[in-house]
Amino acid sequence: MGELDVLKKEAETLKTQIETARKAVNDTTMEAASSGVAPAPRIQPKARRTLKGHTAKIYALYWALDNKLMVSGSQDGKLLVWDTHAGILANCVPLKSAWVMTVSFSPSAGLVASGGLDNMCTIVNISGEKPKTMRELDGHDGYVACSRFLSETSILTASGDQTCGLWDLETGKQKQSFLNHVGDCMCVALAEDQNTFISGACDSQAKLWDIRDGQCKQSFIGHTGDINAISYMPNGQAFITGSDDCTLRMFDMRADQEVMCYQNAQPTAGVTSLSLSLSGRLLFAGYDDFNCNIWDSLKGEKIGVLSGHDNRVSCTGIPSDGMCVSTGSWDSFLKIWN
Amino acid sequence: MSSKMQSSNNIAQARRTVQQLRIEASIERIKVSKASADLMHYCGEHAKYDPLLMGIPASENPFKDKKPCTIL
């Protein structure tokens, strides 16, 4: 056998080994294990604020750590920063490129990052009199679908070029690249200790990465479509993904496999976004069919719906104090619910 | 690309694939029952601190007034 054949055979053997090892610990499902847990209350949050100001589809939103400011990005070419308590606009950042797909705040909220079809991640300082572009992170060969600050000087990106990147904002250069996905990278989430992160991509896989050495540690299969959203469970040991395959799934990192699937009786709409309440019990998921479903994350049951948008819910977010859930839509509005 | 370069690229790619799979195969796994139990315990312990789960009294709700915000 040539070397290539030997390697292919070894790859198949290793894949079988991994599947066997996963089956060996698959002694129950989360659904069965949680059958004794009391059902979560049927909650019906009310829309407390409707934030009007964008003039085109909203694609992204992000809460500041102060639990009050929220930034939204729209293909009207603007980032709007909202004081959600007062219900007023706090700042407006015009973008060079209107094709925005992601927004985020730095921990101090003095910086905002946006990225999109211009293949760049743009960092703007909004702490002064006027917004000032600080950096344009240029280096991806595809759109920037998601960006998350680690600190005031470091940011992680997910790109349509099938890679994720870690950038130093002081030099503007990429410090580390993360190569293993075979589809556009759509979303990332950082672990609390920032030593690892998880990514979701159009290859239907989620992956766990070591930030410092760029190594992919684990790959999670199960979805049958693009993964658009990803978020850690607050215990840091599991995460939930949302996909074009119309499902959300929970993966446990220590069991190295899918442990729950959240699927509507008639699954017709892809999942665009997801957020978890403070304890992790409530899962809010935005869909293409204009709704946001509320799931009991432990029991896998749908327990409520947020309806009110007139178009696709493209993004959701819950602030760090867990006091509300916000939704952003292609109908150009943001709503705040609790 | 010459066929020699093509085949050495394929071998390099196959080596990377095997190396990656070795890393992923080598991790320790815990039982799903243990993972589920830990998660249920966490959610149970933190439920009382979860405002969306418990409900928010009007006096403590920073969003309690329903009013639209319109930019002219």
Side-chain angles (χ1 to χ4, degrees):
Chain A
M1 268 196 290
E3 188 181 353
L4 193 59
D5 292 319
V6 170
L7 289 166
K8 281 184 174 167
K9 193 147 189 285
E10 188 176 353
E12 289 312 308
T13 303
L14 286 163
K15 282 182 190 164
T16 304
Q17 205 178 302
I18 291 171
E19 275 324 294
T20 304
R22 283 175 175 159
K23 283 203 177 75
V25 296
N26 189 247
D27 58 343
T28 186
T29 62
M30 175 77 70
E31 207 172 324
S34 66
S35 57
V37 173
R42 251 84 192 133
I43 62 164
Q44 190 45 66
K46 296 187 176 54
R48 304 287 178 183
R49 298 272 188 275
T50 298
L51 304 175
K52 303 183 188 188
H54 282 300
T55 54
K57 294 173 176 173
I58 291 171
Y59 275 81
L61 66 82
Y62 196 85
W63 283 93
L65 289 175
D66 71 0
N67 306 312
K68 188 180 74 160
L69 292 180
M70 186 178 72
V71 60
S72 57
S74 160
Q75 295 199 344
D76 63 8
K78 293 191 193 61
L79 303 185
L80 296 181
V81 180
W82 307 88
D83 175 335
T84 59
H85 291 185
I88 59 173
L89 191 68
N91 215 331
C92 173
V93 182
L95 298 171
K96 248 190 194 169
S97 162
W99 307 113
V100 65
M101 296 174 72
T102 178
V103 293
S104 55
F105 275 120
S106 67
S108 73
L111 301 174
V112 288
S114 67
L117 297 182
D118 60 354
N119 295 2
M120 291 197 307
C121 180
T122 302
I123 314 291
V124 178
N125 186 322
I126 59 166
S127 58
E129 278 267 320
K130 276 187 350 171
K132 187 160 186 269
T133 299
M134 218 192 72
R135 283 268 174 236
E136 287 175 337
L137 305 174
D138 197 344
H140 278 303
D141 289 324
Y143 56 79
V144 174
C146 189
S147 61
R148 293 288 177 258
F149 283 92
L150 281 78
S151 69
E152 304 301 311
T153 55
S154 185
I155 197 167
L156 190 60
T157 52
S159 171
D161 68 6
Q162 308 188 355
T163 76
C164 296
L166 178 67
W167 304 78
D168 179 338
L169 297 183
E170 284 169 332
T171 61
K173 300 262 183 286
Q174 207 172 131
K175 277 195 290 199
Q176 185 62 263
S177 55
F178 303 89
L179 318 172
N180 198 249
H181 278 297
V182 294
D184 300 8
C185 295
M186 298 302 296
C187 49
V188 292
L190 266 167
E192 206 173 322
D193 67 5
Q194 301 197 346
N195 290 328
T196 57
F197 72 94
I198 46 179
S199 62
C202 294
D203 58 9
S204 313
Q205 291 192 23
K207 290 180 186 288
L208 172 71
W209 306 84
D210 181 311
I211 279 199
R212 279 154 311 179
D213 67 12
Q215 182 64 54
C216 169
K217 296 295 197 199
Q218 286 173 257
S219 297
F220 300 88
I221 56 174
H223 277 298
T224 57
D226 300 356
I227 295 176
N228 298 314
I230 196 165
S231 180
Y232 277 97
M233 283 293 278
N235 74 345
Q237 289 163 344
F239 61 89
I240 299 194
T241 47
S243 165
D244 279 355
D245 70 7
C246 308
T247 71
L248 300 118
R249 290 169 204 251
M250 185 193 294
F251 295 89
D252 187 279
M253 288 177 288
R254 293 179 305 161
D256 188 40
Q257 60 192 278
E258 180 183 322
V259 297
M260 178 80 94
C261 181
Y262 309 87
Q263 185 168 324
N264 288 317
Q266 318 282 353
T268 51
V271 177
T272 60
S273 49
L274 72 97
S275 296
L276 286 158
S277 72
L278 213 56
S279 67
R281 188 67 191 266
L282 300 176
L283 166 59
F284 295 83
Y287 291 76
D288 291 343
D289 67 359
F290 312 178
N291 283 327
C292 184
N293 284 341
I294 312 173
W295 295 87
D296 178 334
S297 69
L298 294 183
K299 296 176 81 77
E301 295 164 353
K302 194 165 111 178
I303 59 172
V305 177
L306 303 176
S307 15
H309 283 295
D310 295 323
N311 206 323
R312 177 184 295 200
V313 174
S314 56
C315 47
T316 67
I318 292 183
S320 64
D321 64 358
M323 286 295 277
C324 67
V325 53
S326 59
T327 52
S329 168
W330 281 11
D331 69 9
S332 81
F333 304 130
L334 299 139
K335 287 182 188 286
I336 301 197
W337 315 73
N338 67 17
Chain B
M1 191 187 290
S2 77
S3 79
K4 257 208 177 130
M5 271 181 76
Q6 179 75 44
S7 72
S8 75
N9 277 348
N10 288 343
I11 288 179
Q13 176 62 52
R15 280 196 197 128
R16 280 194 295 271
T17 299
V18 164
Q19 198 190 356
Q20 179 62 38
L21 285 167
R22 279 187 191 146
I23 289 170
E24 294 186 21
S26 69
I27 65 160
E28 294 287 317
R29 295 171 182 80
I30 67 165
K31 289 201 191 318
V32 174
S33 55
K34 166 104 174 84
S36 304
D38 287 354
L39 194 54
M40 281 156 41
H41 180 77
Y42 184 96
C43 288
E45 288 292 297
H46 290 82
K48 55 184 176 284
Y49 306 117
D50 185 336
L52 287 167
L53 191 60
M54 300 277 90
I56 304 165
S59 56
E60 290 165 31
N61 188 351
F63 303 106
K64 76 173 191 300
D65 295 316
K66 182 180 174 168
K67 55 182 187 183
C69 168
T70 310
I71 311 302
L72 296 165

